[in-house]
Amino acid sequence: MNLNDSVKTLKGVGDKKAALLEKVNIKTLNQLLGYFPRTYQDRTNIKKIKELVDGEEALITGIVTGMQLTGKNYRRPTLRLLVDDGSGLMEIIFFNGRWLKSSFKIGVNYTFFGKAEVKNGKNSMLHPDYSKGDTEEKGILPVYPLTEGLRQSDFRKWIKETLTLIDLEDEHLPKPVIEENRLCPYGYAVKNIHFPQERQSLKIARYRLIFEELLILQVGLLYLRKGNVASKGIKFSSNAGEETFIAGFPYELTAAQERVVKEIKKDMESDSVMNRLVQGDVGSGKTAIAEIALFKAVKSGYQGTMMAPTEILAKQHFNELSDTFSPFGIKVGFLGGNLTTKEKKTVLEQIAKGEIDIVVGTHALVQPNVVFNNLGMVITDEQHRFGVNQRKLLSQKGNSPDMLVMTATPIPRTLAVILYGDLDVSVINELPPGRQTIKTFSITDKERIRLYEFMRKEVASGRQCYIVAPLIEDSETMELKSAESLYEEVRGGFPEFRVELLHGGMKQAEKDQVMGNFAMGEVDILVSTVVIEVGINVPNATLMIIENSERFGLAQLHQLRGRVGRGRHQSYCVLVLGGGGEVAKERAKIMCQSADGFYISEKDLELRGPGEIFGTRQHGIPDLKVADLAKHTKILAISQEKAKALIGKDPQLKKPENAGLREKVQGLFNESLTL
Ligand code: ADP
Ligand code: MG
């Protein structure tokens, strides 16, 4: 028997079952063994009925002494069994249980496993697992994620059989890794992740598998990224005059900005390629940092470019950069999706000839027809919206240009290392002085009248307001406030105000027009979808209302809130909870308590898990089976050191002792990784 044999070698797996297994990517015995339980049932808790504890899972064996179908609904009656084990009586309840009736016989012994309910001296179990006699499996049983047509018992049986057929003595991790980290052998881990002998062995097995998965992930990422980084780059001038440029700002840099500028300066003046991530909360002043880097690049004789995820944002940066740079004779150009063919042609020519020094744009910048004369500095703003590839494509337009990645989504350090393992990280952990905190409230629909009164007061005193909704138009399936219906409601309710609608379904020119009018103060209330989420800067806007806030993640709520509080007026954020469970409430609570993006991102990670928030897949992070980037931060750190050491000593994983590891790395990255 071989790990790569088909699952069809197992008893009871024919073409039909094999096809079902293939749907969850299981073709070989090895893949079957890699299908880990979702959770476990602890059936070591064997109890007498009279010892049952309310709410506790337990295994009971007893004789069925009574059986009846009850309930008003004739077609879907409830099956009730009475069970006696000598110590007491217990009722077993199966809703809609007619079809189960023939499974039981009065006077026969059965074993039940389920959660006991003990109320007023009465014992019961709802929908327990059951089997005849006392043969119901004991011990700690795996519970597999099921797929249509396959049962729990199928997986248990097949995996058990595989474990007896296969010799799992082979160890694929290098021996020193096993020894230094006191990991259990691979065979032990696989056996016990499926059928743990006891709780402790499960723990040991899980630790090994989590460690292994994180190690393999990181070895793979390190390997992948090594190839990306060209070591020799541009050495920018150390007297480009950026000090004078900075002195011309209408404000002093914060200490955090200064520190980051220093880090960037050092990178730029060295002859290795800068790959730097600047993390800074909304409003921390990342644009100024970008401008300084661009200034230095241009004054050293190179072109620079800045890519933003949306047209609106790119336009905003373009306007800002044009204003900043024109006094210095630096020419800024714009490249977006909505230029006319003629405009585009002109811009492309100017870029190619080097007549434009700095090009601001959307992902239109990565298209093949964009050719630079002498690109030396690549900046991407709000990086979490771009894939690694876009970043790479853009920098390939230069000759090993320096790269700066800016993100306003603070990422916990542990995760930053995974997502941006190839980047050095600078953190702007300070806001410019004098920023007020944005007063944040969480309300329900009942308080809408008060909310509208408040909005009336704000707008009447000259301020502007955002209302954000999760959907563009009403949906038949979801009871959510849509931007369109809110727009009608608000326009009707506030005829004295100028209300406009903005959403992603509109034409670019329309969006620009609306956004432009809002920025000019010609619109009082902007009803919008999340298209306004990133970067928009309108200092006179002081009220952010987020409808159906339960539909947004914490990072997104924080981003949205960051659209206000950008000027000198006290600002407010109101979350209108339209439903949602505990998590939604918890999120709202965190938002009301904290304004710290780093804290909020940690919480976001805890509440949702990393895949959902940061688009780990978009970053090229494969799915993980046992490890959880949010939870296993300690193992992550340890395995990270190990991974670095391994790749450091054997960058190609060519040494014989790393052969097993290498194979696993290829497996995790779906063989897309050619080592
Ligand atoms: P973000 O980091 O969100 O991109 P911005 O760069 O848009 O933030 O900056 C937000 C606002 O703060 C802008 O109006 C900018 O002019 C201002 N700003 C930036 N740095 C400072 C500073 N050191 N002192 C005062 N205001 C600043
Ligand atoms: Mg910004």
Side-chain angles (χ1 to χ4, degrees):
M1 278 292 162
N2 185 305
L3 278 171
N4 292 322
D5 286 349
S6 162
V7 283
K8 287 193 216 168
T9 52
L10 295 171
K11 273 181 232 141
V13 184
D15 287 342
K16 219 169 115 195
K17 299 266 177 179
L20 292 171
L21 281 169
E22 207 174 321
K23 279 195 191 154
V24 279
N25 278 325
I26 300 174
K27 285 185 235 167
T28 65
L29 295 179
N30 196 27
Q31 285 164 336
L32 182 65
L33 286 183
Y35 197 70
F36 293 153
R38 175 170 62 77
T39 178
Y40 300 84
Q41 281 180 356
D42 188 350
R43 297 191 176 180
T44 52
N45 194 20
I46 302 167
K47 283 272 167 82
K48 285 288 175 196
I49 290 177
K50 71 163 194 233
E51 304 164 343
L52 285 174
V53 177
D54 188 43
E56 198 178 88
E57 290 193 323
L59 193 80
I60 292 288
T61 302
I63 294 171
V64 172
T65 56
M67 171 152 59
Q68 72 181 133
L69 289 169
T70 63
K72 289 195 196 85
N73 187 339
Y74 171 77
R75 296 220 318 262
R76 313 183 60 185
T78 300
L79 176 67
R80 291 173 188 273
L81 309 176
L82 197 62
V83 176
D84 186 346
D85 76 344
S87 80
L89 296 176
M90 174 174 72
E91 190 175 39
I92 301 284
I93 301 163
F94 293 101
F95 293 126
N96 190 18
R98 182 197 296 283
W99 60 285
L100 280 175
K101 194 164 177 253
S102 57
S103 309
F104 298 100
K105 273 204 189 83
I106 304 269
V108 174
N109 222 18
Y110 295 88
T111 298
F112 299 92
F113 175 79
K115 196 164 153 187
E117 199 180 302
V118 184
K119 290 265 154 70
N120 308 324
K122 280 191 169 163
N123 308 301
S124 62
M125 268 186 197
L126 191 63
H127 291 224
D129 289 349
Y130 58 89
S131 63
K132 210 164 165 189
D134 63 357
T135 57
E136 180 69 5
E137 287 181 274
K138 301 191 176 78
I140 301 172
L141 284 192
V143 178
Y144 294 96
L146 286 185
T147 169
E148 210 177 303
L150 296 177
R151 286 169 304 185
Q152 233 16 285
S153 53
D154 290 331
F155 278 105
R156 286 179 188 156
K157 198 173 64 200
W158 296 333
I159 288 174
K160 208 169 236 174
E161 191 186 336
T162 308
L163 285 170
T164 61
L165 291 173
I166 299 269
D167 171 24
L168 288 169
E169 291 311 301
D170 274 355
E171 182 56 72
H172 47 262
L173 289 186
K175 210 167 167 193
V177 173
I178 297 282
E179 282 168 2
E180 284 160 34
N181 298 286
R182 305 219 211 143
L183 304 177
C184 68
Y186 179 65
Y188 179 93
V190 171
K191 273 178 205 147
N192 281 281
I193 195 85
H194 289 293
F195 295 98
Q197 282 166 342
E198 50 182 350
R199 283 179 171 270
Q200 189 59 19
S201 30
L202 176 59
K203 228 168 142 182
I204 293 167
R206 273 179 62 81
Y207 186 87
R208 142 100 206 202
L209 293 168
I210 291 166
F211 189 102
E212 167 172 337
E213 193 166 42
L214 291 174
L215 179 78
I216 289 166
L217 170 70
Q218 294 177 96
V219 166
L221 289 173
L222 285 172
Y223 175 83
L224 275 174
R225 285 165 178 166
K226 244 189 154 57
N228 293 345
V229 184
S231 46
K232 272 266 191 269
I234 302 165
K235 201 168 165 171
F236 292 91
S237 163
S238 57
N239 54 14
E242 66 268 14
E243 294 79 11
T244 329
F245 177 65
I246 295 169
F249 283 170
Y251 46 75
E252 301 259 304
L253 293 186
T254 61
Q257 280 172 317
E258 261 181 31
R259 175 168 35 77
V260 174
V261 168
K262 213 186 248 166
E263 287 163 351
I264 291 171
K265 201 167 127 79
K266 191 163 161 240
D267 283 358
M268 286 182 72
E269 289 171 12
S270 87
D271 65 356
S272 49
V273 170
M274 170 168 76
N275 282 293
R276 188 166 283 282
L277 173 74
V278 177
Q279 285 199 56
D281 215 339
V282 262
S284 61
K286 291 184 293 295
T287 316
I289 304 281
E291 286 173 346
I292 294 164
L294 288 167
F295 181 90
K296 193 173 171 71
V298 172
K299 286 295 170 187
S300 307
Y302 293 89
Q303 287 172 300
T305 185
M306 182 155 168
M307 181 163 71
T310 65
E311 197 91 14
I312 294 179
L313 198 57
K315 256 289 167 45
Q316 188 179 290
H317 279 321
F318 168 68
N319 293 332
E320 210 171 320
L321 265 56
S322 301
D323 289 350
T324 310
F325 286 119
S326 66
F328 296 90
I330 294 174
K331 189 158 179 353
V332 183
F334 178 78
L335 191 67
N338 64 333
L339 297 180
T340 64
T341 318
K342 199 172 149 221
E343 286 170 332
K344 201 164 173 188
K345 194 164 162 257
T346 312
V347 176
L348 288 176
E349 271 170 24
Q350 288 176 318
I351 298 172
K353 284 189 194 147
E355 290 166 11
I356 288 179
D357 301 303
I358 296 168
V359 193
V360 183
T362 59
H363 52 265
L365 285 166
V366 304
Q367 279 156 14
N369 58 0
V370 185
V371 180
F372 285 82
N373 179 46
N374 192 13
L375 179 63
M377 174 62 66
V378 170
I379 300 182
T380 55
D381 193 16
E382 319 292 347
Q383 155 69 18
H384 64 292
R385 294 292 189 91
F386 293 115
V388 180
N389 281 338
Q390 281 168 312
R391 202 164 84 199
K392 215 156 74 182
L393 281 174
L394 191 55
S395 48
Q396 278 164 359
K397 293 183 184 288
N399 197 359
S400 308
D402 274 9
M403 190 173 58
L404 210 51
V405 172
M406 318 249 241
T407 174
T409 306
I411 299 161
R413 193 145 210 114
T414 48
L415 203 59
V417 177
I418 292 277
L419 298 186
Y420 302 108
D422 53 341
L423 303 181
D424 298 313
V425 180
S426 291
V427 179
I428 315 181
N429 52 357
E430 179 186 3
L431 294 181
R435 289 282 161 81
Q436 10 94 5
T437 40
I438 300 162
K439 291 191 176 150
T440 304
F441 306 94
S442 164
I443 66 167
T444 61
D445 205 46
K446 284 187 209 138
E447 291 150 283
R448 184 170 295 279
I449 293 175
R450 271 181 67 200
L451 172 63
Y452 281 174
E453 278 318 304
F454 182 69
M455 178 166 77
R456 191 186 301 281
K457 258 178 39 201
E458 278 299 292
V459 178
S461 67
R463 305 287 80 76
Q464 288 162 281
C465 169
Y466 294 102
I467 302 178
V468 176
L471 297 180
I472 299 179
E473 20 180 278
D474 284 340
S475 136
E476 280 177 18
T477 48
M478 286 181 278
E479 270 194 45
L480 297 176
K481 290 262 179 188
S482 72
E484 277 182 357
S485 67
L486 271 164
Y487 168 65
E488 294 301 333
E489 180 181 318
V490 174
R491 215 170 51 145
F494 298 85
E496 70 274 35
F497 296 145
R498 296 160 298 177
V499 185
E500 284 289 351
L501 177 66
L502 180 76
H503 60 71
M506 287 160 55
K507 288 217 181 75
Q508 193 54 49
E510 292 174 310
K511 280 194 281 190
D512 287 349
Q513 174 102 43
V514 171
M515 206 51 232
N517 289 345
F518 188 73
M520 301 287 289
E522 284 158 17
V523 173
D524 299 309
I525 299 170
L526 184 63
V527 182
S528 166
T529 56
V530 287
V531 287
I532 56 124
E533 182 189 341
V534 281
I536 299 299
N537 190 19
V538 181
N540 190 49
T542 55
L543 176 57
M544 166 60 70
I545 298 172
I546 305 173
E547 297 281 350
N548 290 106
S549 66
E550 74 279 3
R551 302 282 298 184
F552 299 100
L554 268 175
Q556 215 173 11
L557 292 173
H558 181 64
Q559 278 291 322
L560 287 168
R561 177 168 62 183
R563 297 311 104 216
V564 296
R566 303 176 81 85
R568 58 199 163 83
H569 306 284
Q570 174 60 53
S571 294
Y572 307 88
C573 175
V574 180
L575 310 175
V576 186
L577 265 177
E582 285 308 307
V583 174
K585 276 191 206 143
E586 181 66 25
R587 279 193 208 123
K589 201 169 115 198
I590 292 164
M591 285 295 291
C592 294
Q593 280 167 352
S594 176
D596 177 348
F598 282 92
Y599 172 79
I600 288 174
S601 73
E602 299 269 1
K603 288 289 167 189
D604 200 17
L605 197 56
E606 278 172 30
L607 287 175
R608 300 212 305 188
E612 289 171 74
I613 320 166
F614 301 108
T616 42
R617 216 171 284 150
Q618 178 190 294
H619 280 93
I621 310 292
D623 287 333
L624 299 175
K625 276 194 260 175
V626 274
D628 180 331
L629 295 174
K631 275 195 207 140
H632 304 131
T633 50
K634 232 187 209 156
I635 312 181
L636 190 61
I638 305 171
S639 56
Q640 192 154 61
E641 288 310 309
K642 263 287 94 81
K644 278 186 194 154
L646 276 166
I647 283 285
K649 278 195 211 123
D650 184 11
Q652 305 291 320
L653 297 180
K654 288 264 153 73
K655 293 189 182 163
E657 68 262 32
N658 292 332
L661 180 65
R662 174 192 165 109
E663 199 176 301
K664 286 280 170 182
V665 171
Q666 269 164 332
L668 184 66
F669 285 83
N670 275 332
E671 276 119 64
S672 66
L673 185 74
T674 29
L675 289 175

